[in-house]
Amino acid sequence: MCVSPLTPNRISELGKAFRASKALFSAVELGVFTVLAKGPRDLETLRADVGVAERGARDFFDALVALKLLERDGAGHYRNGSEADHYLDREKPTYIGGELENLNKRGYPHWQFLTEALKTGKSRGDGYLDQYADQSVLEAITEGMTGGARIVAPGIVTKFPWHRYRTVVDIGTSQGGLPVEIARAHAHITGGGFDLPPVRPRFESYVKKQGFSQRLSFHGGDFLRDPLPSADVLIIGRVLHNWDVATKTMLLKKAHDALPSGGALIVYERMIDDARQSSAPGLLSSLNMLIMTKGGFDYTVADLSVWMRQASFYDLRVERLTSELSMVIGTK
Amino acid sequence: MCVSPLTPNRISELGKAFRASKALFSAVELGVFTVLAKGPRDLETLRADVGVAERGARDFFDALVALKLLERDGAGHYRNGSEADHYLDREKPTYIGGELENLNKRGYPHWQFLTEALKTGKSRGDGYLDQYADQSVLEAITEGMTGGARIVAPGIVTKFPWHRYRTVVDIGTSQGGLPVEIARAHAHITGGGFDLPPVRPRFESYVKKQGFSQRLSFHGGDFLRDPLPSADVLIIGRVLHNWDVATKTMLLKKAHDALPSGGALIVYERMIDDARQSSAPGLLSSLNMLIMTKGGFDYTVADLSVWMRQASFYDLRVERLTSELSMVIGTK
């Protein structure tokens, strides 16, 4: 019999994993990848360009090398790794660092209260409308959502039959990150996004900057009170997990009401595997909802399928979007 | 040519890695593994035993399953995974959770200031003597160090020729976690540990509890001012990285002074690879020193070898202790 000997390695690594998150967050915050997207830099130049003091500079940049975000050549010049260059350069439309900035500003500090949230079952978070009263929080959240939208956009753009539909409205659209990518990829699509009224200026300025003001417009409202706008396709992504089951099913019913016959609903989320055995990201996202929201939780494709069928959607199908996220498509 | 397509998966995973650390920390804090070491529990029993409210309980325990710390059988009973059972049950002498508790209480919140520390080059930490004025901090740090000592102990106990020596003193010993394991494995060894005077009661109570008071004693002092005690073998582990290079070399010189001719020095640390390309744990540990200490930094085996030779040690050799830590042995 061959039994591999026990080692504490994996536990130690899990316990220190937060340091790697923070090194990535600081690199995004300091603009390391945006600077290096302009060209390689030696240690001193990079240090000066991003405003890092001498003491920790070499360890910091070499840690980013070891994390495979940067590369360092034999002459000691740092350059972006290919993933970092594509996704973490603020000047590129593929930038997803907004999500990391939001995790850094809000997620990381809030997670200090995980034990308390587990003991009490209560979140420390306010509703979005309360949070949006603070402009800096509004910006952090909406840019974070744009980062999140860019992560799923390539999958949603390519794995849905957009040629069969003409209009789309993204529910909880934030800055409109997702409809912009759909409009960019599919020239016949028009529509826009629905979100709370304070988000309007963020949406309109982002959509204008991306050049889609003629095709995408903002619908202000509160989906807890108001009906949803109508379109051939509605998208509800990373929204349902914020709410308790009654609100989840109410929103699915409202989406069904708003769609024309033959219209489609796309729900995307960091889905938990049906057996609840393997998808750590989905289960940890659900604990994030425990910390951040009054009644939210993440769920499996099986859970969602039950709720969508209850709301009278049929012909449900699942498509994987990233290593963590999937979408379920239903037809009215 | 075959180029794998870019995906944001790895960046997203790094950005969320802190959640896995915190789930582990909360599980240790709540005693999940200690409870399950007594036997499997269903959801409701486990929840009641560790004091978790209903709302997050299932997601929390299932997240621990997905992180491979727990297992859940077909009847819904949770049990410890083999690593968790060995290393995270408080009742076992192999418990390393003290290090995780210290990371949770001190490391995680301090790392919020990484960007600031990078910009200023300055730590927020005090010296150990100042910190030890607070009994709860003294306990967190010393228990954390015992967890750390238990991680390296199996390697140090088996990969050093203890039969050739009779006495050992561990410098910066904290509760004496390491000399206890050496004494446990090698019945002919006596000695003890050296640390700041406030640590004495923690050392003496731990060593007594483990049954080694007859063979191991405490040497109180400040290695910045006082000479080191003499023994056939001195150990300096996870100490040098707390200090600037002048202090590092001074401590190595003091160790050389204190050893008899033919004596051995063991230095163990989370060593950075000589090329500074691959060992993220060592480089991130060095950033931890930036955050926590006035002048500390981690280093490579090549760096350490230079300093040890300068202090007149010869016949240097390296042994790997864990996936992250190594020891360098030198002879006087």
Side-chain angles (χ1 to χ4, degrees), chain A residues 248-259 265 304-314 316 330-332:
Chain A
K248 282 173 165 79
T249 52
M250 178 273 284
L251 288 171
L252 291 170
K253 182 72 175 54
K254 280 192 181 181
H256 195 269
D257 291 344
L259 284 167
L265 172 69
L304 175 61
S305 301
V306 169
W307 302 326
M308 286 179 75
R309 285 198 196 95
Q310 282 173 352
S312 306
F313 288 99
Y314 73 96
L316 305 188
T331 304
K332 172 168 174 175

Side-chain angles (χ1 to χ4, degrees), chain A residues 256-291:
Chain A
H256 195 269
D257 291 344
L259 284 167
S261 178
L265 172 69
I266 298 173
V267 177
Y268 70 88
E269 202 81 83
R270 199 164 268 105
M271 303 282 178
I272 297 169
D273 61 298
D274 287 348
R276 298 175 59 91
Q277 286 275 6
S278 62
S279 54
L283 289 157
L284 293 170
S285 174
S286 200
L287 293 180
N288 191 51
M289 292 300 116
L290 168 70
I291 292 170

Side-chain angles (χ1 to χ4, degrees), chain A:
Chain A
M1 203 171 89
C2 175
V3 180
S4 53
L6 287 175
T7 76
N9 295 339
R10 219 176 52 82
I11 290 169
S12 285
E13 287 157 18
L14 262 183
K16 303 236 170 57
F18 72 91
R19 294 179 176 175
S21 297
K22 282 297 288 187
L24 169 59
F25 297 159
S26 286
V28 168
E29 191 178 352
L30 293 163
V32 171
F33 308 108
T34 306
V35 163
L36 287 176
K38 302 191 179 88
R41 298 279 191 282
D42 64 18
L43 176 61
E44 277 310 301
T45 313
L46 177 56
R47 189 173 88 61
D49 284 355
V50 302
V52 166
E54 191 174 350
R55 182 177 166 202
R58 193 167 167 233
D59 288 336
F60 178 50
F61 301 131
D62 286 347
L64 298 174
V65 170
L67 293 171
K68 299 188 196 309
L69 296 164
L70 301 185
E71 294 165 4
R72 196 189 65 232
D73 65 21
H77 287 76
Y78 296 88
R79 68 189 67 225
N80 282 336
S82 52
E83 290 168 356
D85 200 63
H86 189 70
Y87 292 110
L88 299 176
D89 169 14
R90 261 181 217 142
E91 305 300 324
K92 291 197 177 76
T94 45
Y95 178 68
I96 60 167
E99 183 171 67
L100 302 170
E101 293 178 63
N102 190 39
L103 285 168
N104 190 26
K105 277 185 208 153
R106 299 174 60 252
Y108 187 95
H110 272 84
W111 271 69
Q112 290 195 92
F113 305 105
L114 174 59
T115 302
E116 184 188 315
L118 287 167
K119 281 181 179 171
T120 62
K122 289 192 180 128
S123 76
R124 300 175 66 94
D126 296 315
Y128 281 111
L129 205 51
D130 297 324
Q131 295 184 66
Y132 285 174
D134 178 335
Q135 183 67 17
S136 74
V137 174
L138 171 65
E139 286 174 19
I141 294 179
T142 53
E143 282 174 20
M145 287 181 176
T146 300
R150 285 172 173 179
I151 289 173
V152 295
I156 292 178
V157 157
T158 57
K159 295 184 174 180
F160 181 82
W162 289 104
H163 62 279
R164 292 196 217 151
Y165 304 88
R166 291 175 311 155
T167 59
V168 62
V169 171
D170 179 35
I171 307 302
T173 195
S174 191
Q175 298 184 123
L178 185 55
V180 159
E181 298 312 316
I182 295 167
R184 200 192 306 279
H186 300 285
H188 69 288
I189 293 282
T190 59
F194 177 91
D195 213 319
L196 291 164
V199 179
R200 178 183 291 274
R202 306 281 306 163
F203 178 97
E204 291 184 343
S205 99
Y206 179 83
V207 169
K208 186 177 176 191
K209 194 176 160 199
Q210 301 288 326
F212 293 94
S213 294
Q214 300 305 312
R215 290 165 55 200
L216 301 175
S217 57
F218 185 79
H219 303 257
D222 180 344
F223 57 43
L224 298 180
R225 289 194 200 90
D226 305 320
L228 299 182
S230 187
D232 296 345
V233 182
L234 292 178
I235 303 178
I236 302 184
R238 304 199 312 163
V239 165
L240 294 184
H241 73 156
N242 284 269
W243 304 99
D244 61 19
V245 70
T247 310
K248 282 173 165 79
T249 52
M250 178 273 284
L251 288 171
L252 291 170
K253 182 72 175 54
K254 280 192 181 181
H256 195 269
D257 291 344
L259 284 167
S261 178
L265 172 69
I266 298 173
V267 177
Y268 70 88
E269 202 81 83
R270 199 164 268 105
M271 303 282 178
I272 297 169
D273 61 298
D274 287 348
R276 298 175 59 91
Q277 286 275 6
S278 62
S279 54
L283 289 157
L284 293 170
S285 174
S286 200
L287 293 180
N288 191 51
M289 292 300 116
L290 168 70
I291 292 170
M292 298 288 197
T293 71
K294 285 208 170 67
F297 62 93
D298 284 74
Y299 46 85
T300 65
V301 168
D303 295 330
L304 175 61
S305 301
V306 169
W307 302 326
M308 286 179 75
R309 285 198 196 95
Q310 282 173 352
S312 306
F313 288 99
Y314 73 96
D315 192 19
L316 305 188
R317 54 202 191 279
V318 190
E319 295 279 356
R320 194 155 186 104
L321 299 173
T322 71
S323 63
E324 299 181 358
L325 288 123
S326 300
M327 66 176 167
V328 176
I329 303 163
T331 304
K332 172 168 174 175

Side-chain angles (χ1 to χ4, degrees), chain B residues 240-257:
Chain B
L240 295 184
H241 75 158
N242 284 269
W243 304 98
D244 61 19
V245 71
T247 310
K248 282 174 165 78
T249 52
M250 178 274 283
L251 288 171
L252 291 170
K253 183 71 176 58
K254 278 192 182 180
H256 196 268
D257 292 345

